Amino acid sequence: MSTITEKILAKAGGVKKASPGDIVNADVDVALTHDVLCGPVANEFRKLGLKEVWDKTKIVVTPDHFIPAKDIEAANLYLEMDKFVREQGIENYYPVGNHGICHVMLPEEGFARPGIVIVGTDSHTCTHGAVGAFATGIGTTEMAAVFATGKCWFRVPETLKFNITGRLKRHVYAKDVILNIIGRIGVDGALYMAMEFDGETVKSLSMDERFVLCNMAIEAGAKNGIINPDERTIQYVESRTSTPFKIFRSDESAEYKQIIDIEADRIEPTVAEPYLPSNIKTARELNNIAINQAVIGSCTGGRYSDLQVAAKILKNRRVAPGVRLIIIPATQKIYLKALNNGLLKIFIQAGASVSTPTCGPCIGGHMGVLGKNEVAIASTNRNFKGRMGDPTSKVYLASTATVAASAVTGRITDPRDL
């Protein structure tokens, strides 16, 4: 009896069964990279003396970190990426104007499918486990080897199962749930393990919300986050691709490292204080914290559903004096949909600054860098010291609703209190 992660790795490794601790040399189905690391991967690939990547149809490249280029260094990284993609004839390329944050774009374009192995040069590649794939981040040299062979070895992880039950309260989202889980187990609580999310609450979540759950598995040290596919998953994937896929699900009698019960109906709008995602308090406990900046975007907060939540809160309201609200749709398609449906008008009338798709602010690289002693609340996923700018600045992590409400009041605010 096996978990979904063990089944996928067994199939990808060409073995009948894969158990925790086994080493499998897995076939990779999708390899993802972006503007920051495509060039360095290309350099490592060239050192191997090979002329062509293993499969130009299975590599996906999109710029998303410093886009449009913020300086000469970023411009040159873009050129290196662009040159490699064109010389290799990589088919799935999404340059500026057709780009998006990779972990939102990959499912949007139908590359994230159940039962496959996805690797990416970004730690939040675990996002794609939401469709029932094994997805994880790898390093530059590992990706060069994947480009050469189409294979990557893994030690099969043990699995922590989170059985999440209960109805979420108003203005409580997947971001609040995953922050509570990380707060409970710590940032190393799932070190090199699979985090499998299950239970009636998970089954009730939209796909957008499921992506958020899996995205932050890495913030607990996990190898991957994953959710057993259901009919909602299948409909989501089939609406985006005609590529066939195979469904794997955990056996009821599968063995887990531990099963942890989470009572979702007890969770409040939650905020992670600096400097770890595990430093959680309720938004109401932190309502004395004044902010300089609020950011709605990234691979945990820039989906269309996030923008809808923000628009409901910001409509007919204004951003507090002295606060900068930055809103970043995650992909060009989301940007256009928000434009056509009037969301961008609501944001601009509220006093927000709306950017082209980028995850730049999350890493303190572009479009929202913090200055000395500044405080931000963000729908992003990391709040390490200096993550978003000056080392003296502070980042509080929260759901889109809490970020939007905080932008209106100028201090951390439970969205139910507006």
Side-chain angles (χ1 to χ4, degrees):
M1 297 295 104
S2 302
T3 67
I4 178 176
T5 295
E6 292 159 10
K7 289 182 179 182
I8 295 171
L9 288 178
K11 180 251 184 183
V15 296
K16 287 186 177 179
K17 183 176 175 61
S19 300
D22 290 351
I23 302 296
V24 296
N25 194 24
D27 290 329
V28 170
D29 297 284
V30 175
L32 167 70
T33 189
H34 46 54
D35 53 313
V36 176
L37 290 175
C38 185
V41 171
N43 290 336
E44 294 299 323
F45 176 80
R46 292 185 183 109
K47 290 178 184 176
L48 299 173
L50 300 173
K51 291 185 178 179
E52 294 183 354
V53 296
W54 105 99
D55 191 333
K56 60 186 178 184
T57 69
K58 293 185 175 180
I59 298 172
V60 182
V61 182
T62 184
D64 61 3
H65 278 58
F66 303 140
I67 298 305
K70 68 182 180 68
D71 54 21
I72 295 171
E73 183 181 8
N76 286 330
L77 282 171
Y78 187 94
L79 289 176
E80 289 177 20
M81 172 191 67
D82 193 73
K83 178 183 177 183
F84 183 72
V85 167
R86 296 186 189 284
E87 73 182 23
Q88 289 294 325
I90 291 170
E91 295 182 2
N92 303 308
Y93 181 40
Y94 296 83
V96 167
N98 196 28
H99 66 294
I101 296 176
C102 60
H103 303 310
V104 181
M105 197 202 71
L106 212 67
E108 184 179 82
E109 297 295 329
F111 295 110
R113 304 184 298 275
I116 68 172
V117 172
I118 302 171
V119 294
T121 55
D122 190 287
S123 59
H124 292 105
T125 302
C126 52
T127 304
H128 311 290
V131 300
F134 175 82
T136 193
I138 63 174
T140 303
T141 52
E142 285 178 293
M143 186 59 85
V146 171
F147 278 13
T149 67
K151 290 182 176 291
C152 192
W153 71 266
F154 301 101
R155 176 167 58 83
V156 179
E158 298 176 303
T159 297
L160 281 179
K161 180 177 178 178
F162 295 87
N163 185 40
I164 308 172
T165 57
R167 185 173 181 175
L168 294 174
K169 297 176 180 175
R170 178 173 169 264
H171 278 318
V172 174
Y173 300 90
K175 186 64 165 289
D176 302 291
V177 175
I178 190 63
L179 286 176
N180 273 271
I181 288 174
I182 298 170
R184 177 167 171 173
I185 68 174
V187 292
D188 59 355
L191 205 58
Y192 203 95
M193 297 182 199
M195 293 177 72
E196 182 178 317
F197 304 103
D198 203 354
E200 64 188 50
T201 309
V202 177
K203 291 179 174 64
S204 72
L205 294 177
S206 69
M207 289 306 300
D208 281 1
E209 291 283 89
R210 297 182 192 188
F211 286 121
V212 174
L213 272 185
C214 291
N215 176 287
M216 293 194 66
I218 186 64
E219 307 307 330
K223 187 66 175 174
N224 66 305
I226 199 162
I227 296 172
N228 287 292
D230 59 9
E231 191 56 36
R232 178 170 291 176
T233 312
I234 294 169
Q235 289 179 7
Y236 177 91
V237 175
E238 287 184 340
S239 70
R240 288 160 175 78
T241 180
S242 58
T243 303
F245 52 85
K246 184 176 181 180
I247 297 289
F248 293 95
R249 295 188 179 95
S250 294
D251 295 316
E252 287 189 8
S253 55
E255 292 186 12
Y256 293 93
K257 172 72 173 177
Q258 187 180 358
I259 299 176
I260 299 173
D261 292 320
I262 303 293
E263 297 173 305
D265 49 1
R266 297 172 65 90
I267 294 175
E268 300 284 318
T270 300
V271 176
E273 294 185 282
Y275 295 101
L276 288 173
S278 57
N279 291 342
I280 61 166
K281 287 184 178 175
T282 67
R284 283 174 177 159
E285 289 178 299
L286 295 171
N287 67 1
N288 62 331
I289 303 293
I291 61 169
N292 304 102
Q293 180 169 292
V295 177
I296 294 172
S298 87
C299 53
T300 47
R303 294 179 173 82
Y304 186 74
S305 57
D306 294 302
L307 302 188
Q308 286 180 303
V309 168
K312 285 181 181 177
I313 292 172
L314 294 169
K315 189 173 185 178
N316 299 324
R317 292 189 170 105
R318 289 285 298 176
V319 174
V323 173
R324 306 181 299 271
L325 172 59
I326 299 169
I327 299 180
I328 306 178
T331 68
Q332 288 286 82
K333 286 184 178 178
I334 293 171
Y335 200 168
L336 183 59
K337 188 175 179 180
L339 172 66
N340 289 338
N341 292 342
L343 271 58
L344 300 191
K345 183 177 180 181
I346 292 172
F347 298 152
I348 292 170
Q349 287 178 333
S353 173
V354 183
S355 162
T356 183
T358 177
C359 50
C362 178
I363 56 169
H366 191 32
M367 299 294 292
V369 178
L370 296 175
K372 191 174 183 179
N373 293 320
E374 285 201 309
V375 175
I377 187 165
S379 67
T380 55
N381 44 31
R382 282 190 180 146
N383 58 349
F384 306 152
K385 191 175 182 65
R387 170 76 176 177
M388 199 178 275
D390 192 276
T392 62
S393 63
K394 294 181 178 178
V395 179
Y396 292 77
L397 305 177
S399 73
T400 296
T402 299
V403 174
S406 302
V408 170
T409 63
R411 53 183 170 76
I412 293 177
T413 298
D414 186 318
R416 299 171 299 184
D417 294 338
L418 274 187

